[in-house]
Amino acid sequence: MSSATKALQAAKFLSGMYRERARILYWAHVRGDLFSRLILPNHHTDPYQIYEEMRARGPLVPTRLGNYTTTSHRVCNEVLRSRRFGVRPEDGSEDLANQAGLDLSLLELNPPDHTRIRRLAAPAFTPRRMAGYVGLVDQAIQGLLDQCEREGEFDLMTSFASPLPIAVVTHLLGLPNDPERLRRLGSTIARALDGIWSLGQARTLAAADAELRTTFAELLDRRRADPRDDLVSALVAEQGRDITPAELSALVRLLLIAGFETTVNAIGNGMHWLLADRGQWDLLVKDPGRAPAVVEEVLRFDPPVQQTARVANQPTEVGEVLIVKNQWVITLLAAANRDPEVYPDPNRFDISRESPVEHLAFSGGIHYCLGSPLARLELTQAFCALAERFPRIRQTAPITMRPGTTLRGPLRFPVTVS
Ligand code: HEM
């Protein structure tokens, strides 16, 4: 590509990015559009207030950006499970869910491709495989907590919440142990899920994407030459038959990204609410067997993935509203998890809650989180071990939250354990 063409492309990208940003700013500030306010980085501290304002306007609300949002558990569930919706338009029109242009594998595939590739990855998360991970997860947790104990005062995110899922997913994928590099690459890509807001961010993202592709290309080559009894070797064996090289590379990259930015934030959000209400923490300390219930309540009350989206692949009626073909619906999972039609006293964090209906933190329908058994295992063991080893843990300074709308969780969480 000539340098003139490259410059033209960069100029087009930039003007498109700033035009989009100006449009969102206009609707947020001048016209008070709630969804525009929600997606602007650094323009709110508490998304839950905006969700409540949206809920007051009805179960399915049009936004000024031309799509719909829903805060209703019932409507989210219906949209996520409906075959009349997909994760990308089938005729190639605007892909609202992935404006960063990343190849997110399963997350942006409709059937039949989605069905074919999900079937290949599913064996990595069977109950038998999970049982095999218990020891590995425990070993990783105890090693990190030993280090935290020696430090006494530490940042819960950098010393525990972040290295744990990285260690687990590195092992799952058979990657070389290089936690700092993987953390940097994963978080750059995760940040882009909220869109690209500057040329600098676009450049960093492109570099991170290229670096991850090279890392996985090398891993796939190693497993091709020397197969082992692991997920990546099993997938490599299918290559050419049921999965193309490009699909395989995108799938393993998705497993890495989906496998740690989410779990990191769930640990951070969970400890945030447990320590904010000491009574809840003390209940867990007295009975660490409550950890599985804690996990479900944390995921309901403040889920790391706050929203996802679906596009209608045919005209369809939802919640008495006619949705036209190619219309996007933003399913606000975090808002649905606090829907008073489903959860009594929804804004109360209560680890003793008995919910008859499952939260939507892992989404629903065919894209229901494939890694949910592993996430539940890691989170249960993490909360249990923290309560057993550090019953006196407390926060020592304000938490800094990460910017962004799609992923929610602390960036920094200073604590002491003495
Ligand atoms: C607390 C931790 C986690 C949360 C809250 C979470 C949440 C989610 C959500 C909401 C989706 C669906 C998005 C949509 O419907 O558009 C999803 C999909 C997915 N997750 Fe997770 N996840 C977590 C952990 C993990 C882990 C540990 C892995 C694997 C190592 C993983 C792998 C995946 C994959 C592969 C998909 C795509 C499934 C598909 O499209 O069929 N996740 N996750």
Side-chain angles (χ1 to χ4, degrees):
M1 192 189 296
S2 76
S3 54
T5 320
K6 270 190 191 160
L8 191 66
Q9 274 190 355
K12 271 191 184 160
F13 171 77
L14 261 184
S15 70
M17 184 176 77
Y18 288 121
R19 213 178 319 116
E20 179 63 9
R21 192 173 176 172
R23 194 163 77 99
I24 297 173
L25 278 165
Y26 170 76
W27 284 115
H29 293 299
V30 184
R31 309 302 293 264
D33 181 48
L34 288 171
F35 185 62
S36 302
R37 254 172 64 203
L38 187 67
I39 59 180
L40 279 174
N42 306 325
H43 278 66
H44 61 82
T45 47
D46 183 3
Y48 292 96
Q49 275 176 10
I50 301 182
Y51 299 150
E52 288 319 311
E53 285 180 56
M54 287 175 160
R55 200 188 311 283
R57 295 190 187 176
L60 201 60
V61 177
T63 81
R64 298 295 190 158
L65 304 178
N67 40 46
Y68 278 87
T69 53
T70 175
T71 52
S72 153
H73 191 286
R74 177 178 49 80
V75 175
C76 279
N77 227 345
E78 185 180 335
V79 169
L80 293 169
R81 287 167 194 274
S82 168
R83 287 301 174 114
R84 286 161 292 145
F85 284 90
V87 287
R88 69 191 311 173
E90 280 171 355
D91 59 6
S93 52
E94 194 193 10
D95 189 350
L96 181 102
N98 186 10
Q99 292 189 334
L102 296 166
D103 183 345
L104 295 172
S105 180
L106 291 173
L107 283 176
E108 53 164 24
L109 291 175
N110 291 331
D113 292 332
H114 174 267
T115 324
R116 171 173 55 84
I117 293 182
R118 183 157 169 136
R119 193 168 37 79
L120 296 177
F125 301 98
T126 58
R128 191 177 62 84
R129 285 274 180 190
M130 286 309 110
Y133 291 136
V134 173
L136 165 80
V137 174
D138 189 53
Q139 204 185 350
I141 289 176
Q142 299 305 338
L144 290 167
L145 293 185
D146 287 346
Q147 178 61 31
C148 292
E149 193 168 356
R150 282 192 289 276
E151 288 169 17
E153 276 193 31
F154 54 92
D155 176 15
L156 186 72
M157 302 313 291
T158 48
S159 295
F160 181 70
S162 178
L164 172 63
I166 293 182
V168 173
V169 85
T170 301
H171 189 274
L172 172 88
L173 294 172
L175 281 168
N177 188 22
D178 191 353
E180 185 40 41
R181 194 167 75 90
L182 292 180
R183 192 204 53 74
R184 175 177 53 78
L185 295 174
S187 64
T188 302
I189 290 176
R191 229 184 358 262
L193 297 178
D194 276 326
I196 308 292
W197 297 90
S198 70
L199 189 57
Q201 189 196 356
R203 283 208 191 98
T204 318
L205 173 68
D209 194 38
E211 197 177 332
L212 262 192
R213 281 171 194 265
T214 311
T215 303
F216 277 109
E218 286 165 6
L219 173 71
L220 295 173
D221 282 346
R222 277 201 301 279
R223 290 297 181 272
R224 209 166 284 128
D226 178 17
R228 308 233 177 114
D229 178 23
D230 63 11
L231 171 68
V232 174
S233 305
L235 290 172
V236 166
E238 293 293 333
Q239 191 183 309
R241 250 187 318 197
D242 245 357
I243 190 165
T244 67
E247 287 171 337
L248 175 56
S249 163
L251 174 63
V252 284
R253 273 180 284 131
L254 171 67
L255 288 173
L256 174 76
I257 300 159
F260 83 85
E261 274 296 328
T262 47
T263 313
V264 173
N265 291 309
I267 296 174
N269 291 343
M271 289 306 287
H272 178 183
W273 298 113
L274 284 162
L275 298 187
D277 180 348
R278 205 73 201 179
Q280 298 287 306
W281 176 249
D282 291 342
L283 281 176
L284 177 64
V285 168
K286 271 196 209 98
D287 178 9
R290 285 176 177 268
V294 169
V295 172
E296 298 312 311
E297 180 62 352
V298 166
L299 291 173
R300 181 197 73 82
F301 187 76
D302 201 5
V305 182
Q306 295 262 303
Q307 57 171 272
T308 184
R310 294 294 185 266
V311 59
N313 50 36
Q314 53 183 280
T316 179
E317 209 181 290
V318 177
E320 289 164 25
V321 173
L322 183 68
I323 306 286
V324 295
K325 187 174 173 192
N326 290 342
Q327 178 82 58
W328 284 88
V329 177
I330 320 290
T331 46
L332 296 166
L333 307 174
N337 282 357
R338 295 195 188 188
D339 184 343
E341 272 185 20
V342 178
Y343 304 102
D345 202 359
N347 294 316
R348 192 158 61 88
F349 177 70
D350 176 6
I351 65 167
S352 310
R353 182 184 290 275
E354 280 176 19
S355 296
V357 178
E358 189 182 335
H359 56 71
L360 295 179
F362 289 126
S363 187
I366 60 170
H367 293 275
Y368 185 88
C369 175
L370 185 60
S372 60
L374 183 59
R376 285 188 158 111
L377 176 76
E378 286 180 60
L379 293 173
T380 304
Q381 290 189 223
F383 291 131
C384 187
L386 281 162
E388 280 174 347
R389 292 197 48 181
F390 301 146
R392 289 145 62 97
I393 188 170
R394 64 186 162 79
Q395 189 183 325
T396 51
I399 291 174
T400 313
M401 294 297 283
R402 63 186 308 145
T405 310
T406 305
L407 283 176
R408 179 174 153 82
L411 265 184
R412 276 180 291 280
F413 190 159
V415 293
T416 176
V417 296
S418 51

